[in-house]
Amino acid sequence: MRVQVEADREFWRGQLVAGGFTAVPRWTPRPVAGVADHETTVPEDVAGPLRGLAQDLAVPLDSVLLAAHAKVLAALSGEREVVSGYVPADGGRPLPCRLTTEPPTWRTLLLNAHRAASELLAHQDFPVDDLRRELGLTEPPFEAVFDPGGVGGDLAEDTVVRIGFSWRDDRLVLRLRYRTDVLDADCAARIAGYHVTALALIAVGPDAEHGRQGLLSAEELHFQLEGLAGPRRELPDRRMHELFEQRVREHPDAVAAVHGERRWTYRELNARANRLARALLARGLRREGVVAVVTERNLDWPAAVLAVFKAGGVYLPIEPHFPAGRIATTLTRAGCALVLTEHGSTTTLDQALESLPRIGKVLIDAAYAEDHADDDPGVPVAPDQLAYIYFTSGSTGEPKGAMCEHAGMLNHLYAKIDDLELGEGQVVAQTAPQCFDISLWQLVSGLLVGGQTLLVEQEVILDVQRFVDRIVEGRVAVLQVVPSYLDVVVSCLRQHPRELPDLRCVSVTGEALKKELTERWFAVQPGIKLVNAYGLTETSDDTNHEVMDR
């Protein structure tokens, strides 16, 4: 007897101290305290083969059901190792059951679940709660409970959902009892559906690799891909630079871009971009030829970017302070033919070009001074034509070039214009370094609606008080920062409260935006919206916008 107790104790100690907690997603927009039930019948053409499979493997049907449950929990949590409560056959308090979805096939997953359940039941009489208290474990061990016998019962305080199976009129019935402050009826039905789908996949192909199979129904797959998508907008049959040219014709003397004391009107910015574009064409730039732009963040930068688009080329941003080796690698991988740069930005660039004699260097001041017309060049540019290449860090640590087309860029710019409610005369702060894709929308989105771009110097950004002053003085309406910098701004505003009279919207991207920071922002600036944004360079930047006013 003593040997058994020691064995029980050792087993449960290993289970409890292994750590890991499987949380159930909070899937309801309107939490309401209470408990509800959802029932669904497992189709007979699924239940029958499952019973046959259990007999062939000499395991109880409960183990098959547990394998499906493990797969669902793994899908919900994104973890391969999951912990669920397990109700013994005679009922009673659920015991923590540690499961893994590492085994590749349904059959091996099922056998692993059977082994885990068998070990648990062999030690079920041990007072697990007493050992938890002895070990000082106060957090709940699980949120989901698996009840293979369908015993039922009330949800414990720490339980979010209880999955039970029972036989009724010779039909296998799944009953899901859940807390309505965590799940709503639709989401509960989806979780039940995942269990049925997993069981169906086991029934038709026990030797299939479950990692290659999804649990979503056709209806939910459509909802995930289409129902959650943003508005479908008809894009104008023009490119970004052509829409800018239209704004130039409508208000040529409005201010387009500001940097320090320098201010360029739409007419001035367009004329300079046109002269640069013609300088590139005169040097043989062809359709989708790659042009690197190596400048500081000043007014020549937007002129150079527009020039590349106007000439039908591909914009490749490179920061002047990058090491020569990195610049050379980027130029080579992108197949770059020309570099637009300026005096003061060529130190490491010149070192890189020493080994790349075929790449031509064009100084912006010299190109301005050449005898080129300053009217729009009118080079045809197709929507599926390559617009830009951004080199990201890459999953392997080696930089990789992400290539995006004009239509994708325009779609993203209009998403920003719509969701951030950009309009004529409004100021967009340009804060991001050139090598980040977010720098592009910050640079040009305002130019599509008759707005103004304010280029904020890096040294100003590094001094948060100066930065807030610049936002106020520049009458910025739309700003984008990363959450860690927003945290600094909030702290500054709490210490030195002030009005931000023109700021209407702050976009936050690049990192996870936490609830606590969101609450702090609205505590100091309740009238200024936050847009939680995120996306991939490969998808033309942000693909998700959550506009929040509280």
Side-chain angles (χ1 to χ4, degrees), residues 180-406:
T180 54
D181 62 331
V182 177
L183 301 174
D184 60 23
D186 288 341
C187 292
R190 282 159 60 186
I191 292 175
Y194 298 157
H195 282 81
V196 174
T197 299
L199 292 172
L201 292 171
I202 295 173
V204 299
D207 292 309
E209 294 185 30
H210 63 82
R212 297 178 177 272
Q213 297 178 320
L215 301 180
L216 302 187
S217 66
E219 293 77 16
E220 187 180 351
L221 188 60
H222 182 270
F223 171 74
Q224 295 284 355
L225 294 177
E226 305 293 341
L228 297 176
R232 291 188 177 276
R233 63 177 61 83
E234 289 295 326
L235 295 176
D237 188 20
R238 296 184 183 180
R239 310 294 80 78
M240 174 266 145
H241 60 277
E242 294 170 340
L243 294 169
F244 165 71
E245 291 166 354
Q246 179 179 327
R247 288 292 177 178
V248 174
R249 292 188 290 271
E250 292 174 355
H251 39 69
D253 297 320
V255 175
V258 176
H259 177 248
E261 299 300 320
R262 300 176 69 197
R263 307 168 74 87
W264 281 358
T265 65
Y266 274 77
R267 189 202 315 270
E268 290 172 314
L269 176 57
N270 192 52
R272 289 174 181 268
N274 287 337
R275 290 201 292 272
L276 290 179
R278 292 181 184 279
L280 294 173
L281 293 169
R283 287 163 172 80
L285 180 65
R286 297 183 179 181
R287 182 180 187 271
E288 294 189 332
V290 179
V291 180
V293 174
V294 186
T295 68
E296 299 294 340
R297 282 171 35 220
N298 53 37
L299 295 185
D300 289 325
W301 174 34
V305 174
L306 287 167
V308 175
F309 293 153
K310 285 169 173 277
V314 177
Y315 167 54
L316 173 67
I318 296 178
E319 293 187 43
H321 59 78
F322 280 174
R326 179 172 176 179
I327 293 177
T329 299
T330 300
L331 295 174
T332 302
R333 289 184 177 179
C336 183
L338 293 168
V339 178
L340 267 177
T341 188
E342 60 188 355
H343 295 289
S345 296
T346 65
T347 302
T348 56
L349 172 64
D350 288 341
Q351 296 174 25
L353 292 178
E354 288 177 1
S355 61
L356 302 169
R358 295 185 179 181
I359 298 179
K361 184 176 75 173
V362 183
L363 288 171
I364 291 174
D365 283 349
Y368 286 154
E370 292 173 2
D371 188 22
H372 295 298
D374 60 7
D375 59 327
D376 299 330
V379 175
V381 177
D384 63 350
Q385 196 165 319
L386 192 60
Y388 60 81
I389 303 173
Y390 275 90
F391 273 78
T392 70
S393 58
S395 57
T396 63
E398 284 290 318
K400 61 177 180 179
M403 305 184 291
C404 293
E405 301 173 349
H406 277 272

Side-chain angles (χ1 to χ4, degrees), residues 21-25 27 70-83:
F21 175 75
T22 306
V24 175
W27 271 1
K71 176 68 176 180
V72 173
L73 280 187
L76 292 175
S77 65
E79 302 289 342
R80 291 185 177 183
E81 304 286 336
V82 295
V83 179

Side-chain angles (χ1 to χ4, degrees), residues 12 98 140 262 308 382 393 434 442 493 544:
W12 284 115
R98 188 173 299 276
R262 300 176 69 197
V308 175
S393 58
Q434 304 93 304
Q442 294 176 5
L493 292 174
N544 298 272

